Coordinates of all heavy atoms in Angstrom, one line a residue:
R1 N 0.8 -1.2 0.0 CA 0.0 0.0 0.0 C 0.9 1.3 0.0 O 0.5 2.3 -0.6 CB -0.9 0.0 1.2 CG -2.1 -1.0 1.1 CD -2.8 -1.1 2.4 NE -3.4 0.1 2.9 CZ -4.7 0.4 2.8 NH1 -5.5 -0.4 2.3 NH2 -5.1 1.6 3.3
G2 N 2.0 1.2 0.7 CA 2.9 2.4 0.8 C 3.5 2.7 -0.6 O 3.8 3.9 -0.9
H3 N 3.6 1.7 -1.4 CA 4.1 1.9 -2.8 C 3.0 2.1 -3.8 O 3.3 2.2 -5.0 CB 5.0 0.7 -3.2 CG 6.4 0.7 -2.5 ND1 7.4 1.3 -3.1 CD2 6.8 0.1 -1.4 CE1 8.5 1.1 -2.3 NE2 8.1 0.4 -1.3
G4 N 1.8 2.1 -3.3 CA 0.7 2.3 -4.3 C 0.3 1.2 -5.2 O -0.3 1.4 -6.2
I5 N 0.7 0.0 -4.8 CA 0.4 -1.2 -5.7 C -0.6 -2.1 -4.9 O -0.5 -2.3 -3.7 CB 1.6 -2.0 -6.1 CG1 1.3 -3.1 -7.0 CG2 2.3 -2.5 -4.8 CD1 2.5 -3.8 -7.6
P6 N -1.7 -2.5 -5.6 CA -2.7 -3.4 -4.9 C -2.1 -4.7 -4.5 O -1.4 -5.4 -5.2 CB -3.8 -3.6 -6.0 CG -3.6 -2.5 -6.9 CD -2.1 -2.2 -7.0
A7 N -2.3 -5.1 -3.2 CA -1.9 -6.4 -2.7 C -3.2 -7.2 -2.4 O -3.9 -6.8 -1.5 CB -1.1 -6.2 -1.4
F8 N -3.4 -8.3 -3.1 CA -4.5 -9.2 -2.8 C -3.9 -10.3 -2.0 O -2.7 -10.5 -1.8 CB -5.0 -9.8 -4.2 CG -5.7 -8.8 -5.0 CD1 -5.0 -7.9 -5.8 CD2 -7.1 -8.9 -5.2 CE1 -5.7 -7.0 -6.6 CE2 -7.8 -8.0 -6.0 CZ -7.1 -7.1 -6.7
V9 N -4.8 -11.1 -1.4 CA -4.4 -12.2 -0.6 C -5.2 -13.4 -1.1 O -6.5 -13.3 -1.2 CB -4.7 -12.0 0.9 CG1 -4.4 -13.3 1.7 CG2 -3.9 -10.9 1.5
R10 N -4.5 -14.5 -1.4 CA -5.2 -15.8 -1.6 C -5.4 -16.4 -0.3 O -4.5 -16.8 0.4 CB -4.4 -16.7 -2.6 CG -5.1 -18.0 -2.7 CD -4.8 -18.7 -4.0 NE -3.4 -19.2 -4.1 CZ -3.0 -19.9 -5.1 NH1 -3.8 -20.2 -6.1 NH2 -1.7 -20.2 -5.2
T11 N -6.7 -16.6 0.1 CA -7.0 -17.1 1.4 C -6.8 -18.6 1.5 O -6.8 -19.3 0.5 CB -8.4 -16.7 1.8 OG1 -9.3 -17.3 0.9 CG2 -8.6 -15.2 1.8
A12 N -6.8 -19.1 2.7 CA -6.7 -20.5 2.9 C -8.0 -21.2 2.7 O -8.1 -22.4 2.5 CB -6.2 -20.8 4.3
G13 N -9.1 -20.5 2.9 CA -10.5 -21.1 2.8 C -11.5 -20.0 2.6 O -11.3 -18.9 2.3
H14 N -12.8 -20.4 2.9 CA -13.9 -19.5 2.7 C -14.5 -18.9 4.0 O -15.3 -18.0 3.9 CB -15.1 -20.3 2.0 CG -14.7 -21.2 0.9 ND1 -15.0 -22.6 0.9 CD2 -13.9 -21.0 -0.2 CE1 -14.5 -23.1 -0.1 NE2 -13.9 -22.2 -0.8
A15 N -14.1 -19.5 5.1 CA -14.8 -19.1 6.4 C -14.3 -17.7 6.8 O -13.3 -17.2 6.4 CB -14.4 -20.1 7.5
P16 N -15.1 -17.0 7.7 CA -14.8 -15.7 8.2 C -13.4 -15.7 8.8 O -12.7 -14.7 8.6 CB -15.9 -15.4 9.2 CG -17.1 -16.2 8.7 CD -16.5 -17.4 8.1
R17 N -13.0 -16.7 9.5 CA -11.6 -16.7 10.1 C -10.5 -16.7 9.1 O -9.4 -16.3 9.3 CB -11.5 -17.9 11.0 CG -11.5 -19.2 10.3 CD -11.2 -20.4 11.3 NE -11.2 -21.7 10.6 CZ -12.3 -22.4 10.4 NH1 -13.5 -21.9 10.8 NH2 -12.2 -23.6 9.8
D18 N -10.8 -17.2 7.9 CA -9.9 -17.2 6.8 C -9.7 -15.9 6.1 O -8.6 -15.5 5.6 CB -10.2 -18.3 5.7 CG -10.3 -19.7 6.3 OD1 -9.3 -20.0 7.0 OD2 -11.2 -20.4 6.0
V19 N -10.8 -15.1 6.0 CA -10.8 -13.9 5.2 C -10.6 -12.6 6.1 O -10.1 -11.6 5.6 CB -12.1 -13.8 4.4 CG1 -12.2 -15.0 3.5 CG2 -13.3 -13.5 5.2
Q20 N -11.0 -12.7 7.4 CA -11.0 -11.5 8.2 C -9.7 -10.8 8.4 O -9.6 -9.6 8.2 CB -11.6 -11.8 9.6 CG -12.0 -10.5 10.4 CD -13.2 -9.8 9.9 OE1 -14.3 -10.4 9.7 NE2 -13.1 -8.5 9.6
P21 N -8.6 -11.6 8.7 CA -7.3 -10.9 8.9 C -6.8 -10.1 7.7 O -6.3 -9.0 7.8 CB -6.3 -12.0 9.2 CG -7.2 -13.1 9.7 CD -8.5 -13.0 9.0
A22 N -7.0 -10.6 6.5 CA -6.6 -9.9 5.3 C -7.4 -8.7 5.0 O -6.9 -7.6 4.6 CB -6.7 -10.9 4.1
L23 N -8.7 -8.8 5.2 CA -9.6 -7.7 5.0 C -9.3 -6.5 6.0 O -9.2 -5.4 5.7 CB -11.1 -8.1 5.2 CG -11.6 -9.1 4.1 CD1 -13.0 -9.6 4.4 CD2 -11.6 -8.4 2.7
D24 N -9.1 -6.9 7.3 CA -8.8 -5.9 8.3 C -7.4 -5.2 8.0 O -7.2 -4.0 8.3 CB -8.8 -6.5 9.7 CG -10.1 -6.8 10.3 OD1 -11.1 -6.2 9.7 OD2 -10.2 -7.5 11.2
A25 N -6.5 -6.0 7.4 CA -5.2 -5.4 7.2 C -5.2 -4.5 5.9 O -4.1 -3.9 5.6 CB -4.2 -6.6 7.0
G26 N -6.3 -4.4 5.2 CA -6.4 -3.5 4.1 C -6.0 -4.1 2.8 O -5.6 -3.3 1.9
A27 N -6.2 -5.4 2.6 CA -5.9 -6.0 1.3 C -6.9 -5.4 0.2 O -8.0 -5.0 0.5 CB -6.2 -7.5 1.4
A28 N -6.3 -5.3 -1.0 CA -7.1 -4.7 -2.1 C -8.3 -5.6 -2.5 O -9.3 -5.2 -3.1 CB -6.2 -4.4 -3.3
G29 N -8.1 -6.9 -2.1 CA -9.1 -7.9 -2.5 C -8.6 -9.3 -2.1 O -7.5 -9.5 -1.6

């Protein structure tokens, strides 16, 4: 984010516990 480039995260699964950390950390998607 500091360099202005989108960082996505490929999650380990579909559950909220799999996606929440990346979303809270500001992943672009």
